[in-house]
Amino acid sequence: RQKLRASRGLLRRLERGGSTLKVKAEKAKEAEAASNAQNKQDIPTVTYEFIDLEESKKKYSVADFDKLWEGLEKLRWRMIQMPGGAIKKPDAFYWLHGLGMQATKGDNEEERPMWAEKGGLDFEGRARWDEYTKNKGMDSDEAKQRFVEFSAEGYDPKRCLYQF
C-alpha cells in the first residue's frame, strides 16, 4: 500500500509540473501496474525512457556562467539555524559558490576562517572555504560547466529558495 500511495503521489506531482526525471515517473507507473497486477494476476509490461547524459550536457552553455554567477548572491536562499544562534545557507549554495570561485579565481590559497565577527564560530565562512577547497586543481572551464549544469538541474529550488 505504501508503494502504491507513493507512486500515486509522484504521478500527481508530475502532472502538476514537478521537475522529476522521466525514469522516476516510469518507476511510479511500474509500481502502480505491479499493484494492479497483484490484484488481477496479470503480468505488467513497462517501458523505460532513458535520458541521454551527453545530450543533456549540450543544453547548458558555459556562456551562461557570468549571468548565473552574478545572480547567485541575489537569490533569496533559505537560512538554516546553527548552534549558538548562527545561520547558514543550504549546501547547494556553498557547492555553487565553490565552483564559481574556482572558475573565476583559481585554487584557494586563503586560510580557513574560524571565528565570526560576533564572536561565535563562522559557519558561513567555513562552509564557503570548504567547498572552494574541494575543487582545488579543477580546470576553470570544467568548473564553469559544472556550475551551469548544477544551477540548472542540481538542486531543488523549492527546498533551497524562498518564494520560488
Side-chain angles (χ1 to χ4, degrees), residues 124-139:
E124 173 88 12
R126 291 171 69 117
R128 286 178 187 241
W129 187 90
D130 289 341
E131 290 299 329
Y132 184 16
T133 305
K134 283 181 185 176
N135 299 319
K136 197 170 202 170
M138 186 184 296
D139 183 39

Side-chain angles (χ1 to χ4, degrees), residues 2-27:
Q2 289 176 340
K3 288 181 181 179
L4 178 62
R5 287 182 190 158
S7 64
R8 284 182 181 162
L10 180 60
L11 286 173
R12 270 188 249 120
R13 285 190 298 275
L14 286 171
E15 288 171 358
R16 282 187 263 145
S19 60
T20 310
L21 292 174
K22 293 178 184 177
V23 174
K24 286 188 178 181
E26 292 297 327
K27 285 184 180 180

Side-chain angles (χ1 to χ4, degrees), residues 30-65:
E30 177 186 339
E32 189 170 329
S35 67
N36 290 340
Q38 288 176 351
N39 295 338
K40 297 178 183 177
Q41 300 300 326
D42 293 335
I43 299 173
T45 57
V46 178
T47 59
Y48 288 98
E49 182 178 336
F50 292 100
I51 299 169
D52 186 15
L53 293 177
E54 292 300 322
E55 185 178 313
S56 68
K57 285 182 181 179
K58 294 175 186 174
K59 293 179 187 176
Y60 311 114
S61 172
V62 178
D64 299 334
F65 172 77

